[in-house]
Amino acid sequence: MTVEEATTAPRMKAADRRELILEAATAVFGAKSYVGTTTDEVARAAGVSQPYVVRLFGTKSKLYIAVIERAYERILGEFTRVLPGPPEERMKRMGAAYAGLLVERGMLPVIANSTALGGDPEIGPVARAGFNSIWRFVRDEAGFTKVETRDFMANGMLINAIVGLRLVGAYGTEQSVTEVLNACFPDAVGVRELMPEAGEPW
Amino acid sequence: MTVEEATTAPRMKAADRRELILEAATAVFGAKSYVGTTTDEVARAAGVSQPYVVRLFGTKSKLYIAVIERAYERILGEFTRVLPGPPEERMKRMGAAYAGLLVERGMLPVIANSTALGGDPEIGPVARAGFNSIWRFVRDEAGFTKVETRDFMANGMLINAIVGLRLVGAYGTEQSVTEVLNACFPDAVGVRELMPEAGEPW
DNA sequence: TTGACATGTTATCAGTCGATTACTACAGTC
DNA sequence: GACTGTAGTAATCGACTGATAACATGTCAA
């Protein structure tokens, strides 16, 4: 288990426990995808029993939906935070804000994985809604042009792929990875250290 | 089952059966992701028994690896095919070639899903190798600049996300989907009809 | 034609996972 | 200081899944 493991579960308000579980679930779902993650792994990562996770969220899919919604809200929050300031650097700030979410374990991988679940009758609508909320924000709130919006979103998807592929953990050890990274993060220096390792986190 | 189902399995050369299973597996894996797909579903889609699928490929992960490798080879093949011609339209041709692979069921979804499996010790290296092979081709064979290469790959990832989210099947039924599509496929008309439906394919 | 290998199936198992049930213990309050 | 609702666990179950074993049938060279 790569995700940190809580030791015990002393009494706590249900709302706080919910948030704690959501954070743990984000890390685990992000590392192992939706189907690949068991409710028991989430429970152990959060330091509670497996049945309690199920009882708090109803079903595994409802838990995952809560995780997705929280992740998209988090991204929108970051974008909103860096919105003020010189418009000509706005895209750069927002891109940095997105890449900065790499420090929050599972956040970007969860987003990335959610874009593959459109076919699920329960999760699909939520994933689409999240993606659309980002698109709309970039378009309307940030005021990007059509092409800028598309390119911004496209680069976000590329970052997702790089994270998901663990291209950074393999930095220097596999061919042409260097090129990929230099092309995508020409000036963002500290980003590489924030990425998950290639070996274990599965 | 959304994927077409063969009726029986008359005698066939193992190599041909392998290819037939790979094609069926691409469709199923593409629709339901790696972990979400059972070897039995692949078997039924290919019209053979589940144990035979396992025996032909050894394990489920080896089958999936074969599917990924085949998919990346297919993409490289298409890119190679459209390479000759006026260089100034090269990127457009390659983009169209990529989008054209939408007709081959599961091909693009499999690629998209593979970019989330970098953490798997078996599949990760194969997924990275495939991604790198595309990157290298675009960079070296097609002769794109660094920025062009990144943008081309990024747009590919965006297409993957759009397909994975079933944004096209939801065309007109959910908010802002129209914007997304118009921004991404300004002139590619027939593409929308080629995309999987939003409802069932899960 | 016969034997030997290749193609394929049926039956089955051991492990896993989400969910349910029944139970325990703590905290506030009247 | 009992009463009541909330927080949490242990035990367990039915369904599923990848893999194995044993068996059946077709094909082809000598």
Side-chain angles (χ1 to χ4, degrees):
Chain A
M1 194 42 141
T2 311
V3 177
E4 78 262 16
E5 204 152 333
T7 53
T8 52
R11 219 74 196 282
M12 191 180 292
K13 281 240 192 140
D16 297 337
R17 184 66 76 188
R18 243 184 102 89
E19 176 59 25
L20 201 153
I21 292 178
L22 281 178
E23 191 182 332
T26 301
V28 185
F29 277 130
K32 311 187 60 174
S33 86
Y34 170 56
V35 204
T37 296
T38 69
T39 55
D40 187 61
E41 287 170 312
V42 173
R44 277 190 276 109
V48 295
S49 65
Q50 179 264 340
Y52 194 47
V53 170
V54 174
R55 200 165 75 179
L56 272 187
F57 291 89
T59 64
K60 180 188 175 184
S61 59
K62 284 180 184 168
L63 165 62
Y64 188 70
I65 285 174
V67 166
I68 297 181
E69 287 177 335
R70 180 172 169 276
Y72 275 111
E73 283 168 10
R74 187 80 184 79
I75 292 178
L76 279 183
E78 282 301 294
F79 284 173
T80 304
R81 191 177 60 79
V82 301
L83 196 60
E88 58 274 8
E89 293 178 2
R90 182 166 287 163
M91 193 180 300
K92 201 169 202 169
R93 289 200 305 278
M94 289 174 62
Y98 187 70
L101 285 176
L102 281 167
V103 293
E104 306 196 15
R105 291 233 260 181
M107 198 64 77
L108 260 47
V110 157
I111 295 296
N113 289 336
S114 76
T115 62
L117 299 178
D120 184 275
E122 287 184 273
I123 301 172
V126 181
R128 278 190 290 274
F131 186 87
N132 285 339
S133 72
I134 305 292
W135 189 283
R136 281 195 162 269
F137 184 95
V138 174
R139 182 73 194 281
D140 300 337
E141 251 67 41
F144 291 176
T145 68
K146 247 180 197 177
V147 176
E148 283 172 340
T149 302
R150 185 199 57 191
D151 287 346
F152 183 81
M153 296 296 283
N155 273 285
M157 298 301 110
L158 180 57
I159 291 179
N160 289 348
I162 290 171
V163 174
L165 281 168
R166 308 287 194 279
L167 277 188
V168 186
Y171 186 75
T173 71
E174 286 180 40
Q175 288 186 347
S176 81
V177 171
T178 309
E179 269 181 51
V180 176
L181 292 175
N182 288 339
C184 294
F185 305 104
D187 34 28
V189 184
V191 174
R192 283 166 193 153
E193 289 72 23
L194 303 177
M195 299 232 181
E197 285 301 313
E200 281 305 307
W202 179 253
Chain B
M1 194 42 141
T2 313
V3 177
E4 79 263 16
E5 205 152 333
T7 53
T8 51
R11 211 68 191 235
M12 192 181 293
K13 279 239 192 142
D16 298 337
R17 184 68 75 187
R18 245 184 100 90
E19 176 60 24
L20 202 152
I21 292 177
L22 281 178
E23 190 181 335
T26 300
V28 186
F29 278 129
K32 310 188 59 174
S33 85
Y34 170 55
V35 204
T37 296
T38 69
T39 55
D40 187 61
E41 288 170 313
V42 173
R44 275 190 279 109
V48 295
S49 65
Q50 178 264 339
Y52 194 47
V53 170
V54 174
R55 200 166 75 179
L56 272 187
F57 291 89
T59 64
K60 182 188 175 184
S61 59
K62 284 180 185 169
L63 165 63
Y64 188 70
I65 285 173
V67 166
I68 297 180
E69 287 177 335
R70 181 171 168 276
Y72 275 111
E73 282 167 12
R74 187 79 183 79
I75 293 178
L76 280 182
E78 282 302 294
F79 283 173
T80 304
R81 191 177 59 79
V82 301
L83 195 61
E88 57 273 10
E89 293 177 3
R90 182 167 288 163
M91 193 180 300
K92 200 168 203 171
R93 289 200 305 277
M94 288 174 64
Y98 187 70
L101 285 176
L102 281 167
V103 293
E104 306 196 15
R105 290 235 261 182
M107 197 65 76
L108 261 46
V110 156
I111 294 296
N113 290 335
S114 76
T115 63
L117 299 178
D120 184 276
E122 285 184 273
I123 301 172
V126 181
R128 279 190 289 277
F131 187 87
N132 287 337
S133 73
I134 305 291
W135 190 283
R136 282 195 162 270
F137 184 94
V138 175
R139 182 73 195 281
D140 300 337
E141 251 67 41
F144 291 176
T145 68
K146 248 181 197 177
V147 176
E148 284 173 339
T149 302
R150 185 199 58 192
D151 287 346
F152 182 81
M153 296 296 282
N155 273 286
M157 298 301 112
L158 181 58
I159 291 179
N160 289 347
I162 290 171
V163 175
L165 282 168
R166 306 288 195 278
L167 278 189
V168 186
Y171 185 75
T173 71
E174 288 180 40
Q175 289 185 345
S176 82
V177 171
T178 309
E179 270 180 52
V180 175
L181 292 175
N182 288 340
C184 294
F185 305 104
D187 34 28
V189 184
V191 175
R192 283 166 193 153
E193 289 72 25
L194 303 177
M195 300 234 180
E197 283 301 311
E200 281 305 308
W202 178 254

